[in-house]
Amino acid sequence: MASYVYAWNPKLWDWPEQPRERRRIDTRGHVDIEWACGRARSIEPGSRAFFVRLGVPPKGIFGSGYALTAPWEDVHWLDEKAQLGVRARYLKLRLDALFDTPLITLDELETPPFGRFRWTVRQSGTRLPSAIADALEPWWEVRVSDARDAQRRAKRKRAGAKG
């Protein structure tokens, strides 16, 4: 199945639901969201999604999931474009990992083979070459596992300090 990169730029939108969505992933294992996918029309349900934070440091990959739907068209998510009648494509994604900071930084993504891909995508829904996606997946899984272990240790430490 294909993999795609979805961009989040806090300069353009602050994603106010993100802390709540991270908590839902922590308790349920996933959260379903709608996200713009640029001009992409051929994203299929089941395709892999990686979220990259751009625009404001820290930059890098901070989330992942899977497409639940094919793209559809609706009113643009930016008010000024919506007022001009501009439309955008969206799809529903199931996020299985979402962190407040990137687990893999843009600097780390400059190393081979990852440096062959332009991670500072201009729009969400950019297809990731399969060779890069295949190399990214195990690296990402290790980073997610390590981050979740660190979160559990911190939680136990806080609980121990209270008791």
Side-chain angles (χ1 to χ4, degrees):
M1 190 59 63
S3 296
Y4 295 86
V5 175
Y6 297 86
W8 174 52
N9 185 339
K11 285 183 180 179
L12 299 177
W13 182 57
D14 63 358
W15 196 347
E17 303 88 0
Q18 191 186 98
R20 184 181 68 232
E21 289 166 348
R22 284 195 313 264
R23 286 190 302 272
R24 283 191 182 148
I25 291 170
D26 290 344
T27 58
R28 286 191 212 155
H30 72 272
V31 65
D32 297 345
I33 65 168
E34 288 182 5
W35 200 263
C37 59
R39 293 186 202 107
R41 296 173 189 248
S42 60
I43 298 172
E44 295 180 5
S47 62
R48 190 70 164 126
F50 291 100
F51 271 75
V52 63
R53 177 184 164 124
L54 303 171
V56 177
K59 300 175 185 178
I61 300 174
F62 71 102
S64 64
Y66 296 89
L68 292 176
T69 66
W72 71 85
E73 200 171 287
D74 205 345
V75 176
H76 201 283
W77 58 276
L78 284 172
D79 287 337
E80 56 270 15
K81 289 189 176 188
Q83 290 172 9
L84 295 172
V86 176
R87 311 227 352 125
R89 287 194 183 83
Y90 301 89
L91 74 166
K92 189 170 274 196
L93 297 168
R94 174 160 288 169
L95 301 184
D96 55 20
L98 188 64
F99 297 88
D100 58 346
T101 59
L103 300 186
I104 299 175
T105 67
L106 282 186
D107 288 342
E108 290 177 300
L109 291 167
E110 290 177 4
T111 62
F114 308 103
R116 294 191 318 244
F117 182 73
R118 185 175 170 269
W119 292 95
T120 55
V121 296
R122 308 272 281 148
Q123 62 187 2
S124 288
T126 300
R127 188 171 181 150
L128 192 57
S130 58
I132 293 174
D134 291 346
L136 177 61
E137 190 68 48
W139 187 21
W140 175 250
E141 291 304 319
V142 166
R143 292 288 175 98
V144 169
S145 178
D146 291 349
R148 288 183 173 152
D149 288 347
Q151 288 173 336
R152 284 190 284 275
R153 285 193 302 274
K155 194 180 234 182
R156 283 194 302 269
K157 188 174 182 179
R158 283 191 306 272
K162 291 179 184 177

